[in-house]
Amino acid sequence: MTDITLDQNRDLLLVVDLQNDFCSGGALEVPEGERVVPVINRLIPAFANVGATQDWHPVGHSSFASQHEGKAPFETTEMPYGTQVLWPDHCVQGSRGAAFHDDFQLDACQFIVRKGFRKTIDSYSAFYENDGETTTGLSGYLRERGITRLFMTGLALDFCVFYSALDGRREGFEVVLINDATAAIDLNGSREAALWQMEDKGVVMTESTNILRTVAPEVQGA
Ligand SMILES: [Zn+2]
């Protein structure tokens, strides 16, 4: 695979939902989710622009199966905005599960976009909530900063990373997925489907080594 040379004026490393509840032992664990933490930490010094998203639900959020009688986690229900997967209670505001993984270099993040804080609507994407209309404001923020290319990392590949990547394309950004800096829930083949759809929408797939190789050794970290 070819190396990708960074342009510090326009590139952003976006770290999606690197939170305890999505790591091993968490309420909605992505298998071995925490293995992406050191990969992301190695990438951070290579970027001048770094930001993160944080799933941030109120108690009793409508995406929780516990709020729907007779429903179990990972079943679906119909919401006014379409079909919604129901999840175990997770990333409740202020909880340990909603906090970022302890080893993640959070101090390097210049901004955090919180999402899913409206009780009646879920939000996978960093750009739009699940109705596809309610915006988080991220596009405008990135445009004002001159960012035009997004490097996607974090959890989970087949949900929040996937929808963020597609919406990034829809908003006119170039999008690169750093494969080894993501991990999937893989619900009913969702991992393969997500990869296929991202590629179809022009998301470039790469590995962290293809980026780190191009930066100075002192930036490459441990
Ligand atoms: Zn959530």
Side-chain angles (χ1 to χ4, degrees):
M1 208 176 288
T2 52
D3 291 349
I4 294 181
T5 304
L6 298 180
D7 179 343
Q8 299 298 2
N9 292 319
R10 69 181 193 97
D11 287 340
L12 170 84
L13 183 71
L14 187 61
V15 183
V16 174
D17 297 2
L18 205 51
Q19 295 164 258
N20 291 319
D21 269 345
F22 297 122
C23 295
S24 294
L28 180 42
E29 62 181 322
V30 178
E32 298 183 353
E34 64 282 355
R35 75 171 165 72
V36 307
V37 175
V39 181
I40 291 169
N41 285 342
R42 273 197 297 277
L43 285 161
I44 284 173
F47 286 82
N49 305 303
V50 182
T53 66
Q54 188 174 27
D55 212 28
W56 195 248
H57 298 308
V59 170
H61 190 254
S62 60
S63 75
F64 298 167
S66 60
Q67 303 304 304
H68 302 264
E69 204 168 338
K71 291 284 190 182
F74 309 109
E75 291 181 0
T76 60
T77 193
E78 293 307 314
M79 298 287 207
Y81 53 83
T83 303
Q84 168 75 43
V85 178
L86 295 173
W87 305 107
D89 288 25
H90 67 280
C91 296
V92 172
Q93 295 171 3
S95 69
R96 173 81 188 141
F100 289 98
H101 190 283
D102 285 340
D103 296 337
F104 170 43
Q105 299 291 315
L106 181 63
D107 289 352
C109 290
Q110 296 147 357
F111 64 90
I112 297 168
V113 177
R114 285 178 166 162
K115 59 190 183 58
F117 52 78
R118 292 182 180 85
K119 200 164 189 173
T120 56
I121 183 166
D122 204 6
S123 187
Y124 295 152
S125 163
F127 294 94
Y128 288 95
E129 301 194 354
N130 286 10
D131 61 0
E133 290 173 3
T134 307
T135 174
T136 64
L138 181 59
S139 293
Y141 173 82
L142 295 179
R143 283 201 190 96
E144 287 197 9
R145 288 192 49 182
I147 304 294
T148 60
R149 188 164 62 169
L150 314 177
F151 288 75
M152 306 294 308
T153 66
L155 305 170
L157 168 67
D158 39 353
F159 286 90
C160 292
V161 174
F162 167 63
Y163 286 101
S164 298
L166 287 199
D167 280 346
R169 293 293 298 145
R170 175 178 152 197
E171 288 294 304
F173 295 95
E174 290 176 57
V175 180
V176 179
L177 177 83
I178 309 177
N179 255 312
D180 57 326
T182 68
I185 293 176
D186 206 9
L187 199 60
N188 305 317
S190 56
R191 180 180 179 277
E192 278 308 304
L195 288 172
W196 183 86
Q197 285 184 69
M198 281 190 278
E199 217 150 17
D200 187 55
K201 295 293 182 192
V203 175
V204 173
M205 306 286 170
T206 194
E207 304 290 329
S208 60
T209 49
N210 295 321
I211 294 162
L212 292 173
R213 254 202 305 268
T214 67
V215 299
E218 64 268 22
V219 180
Q220 290 182 21

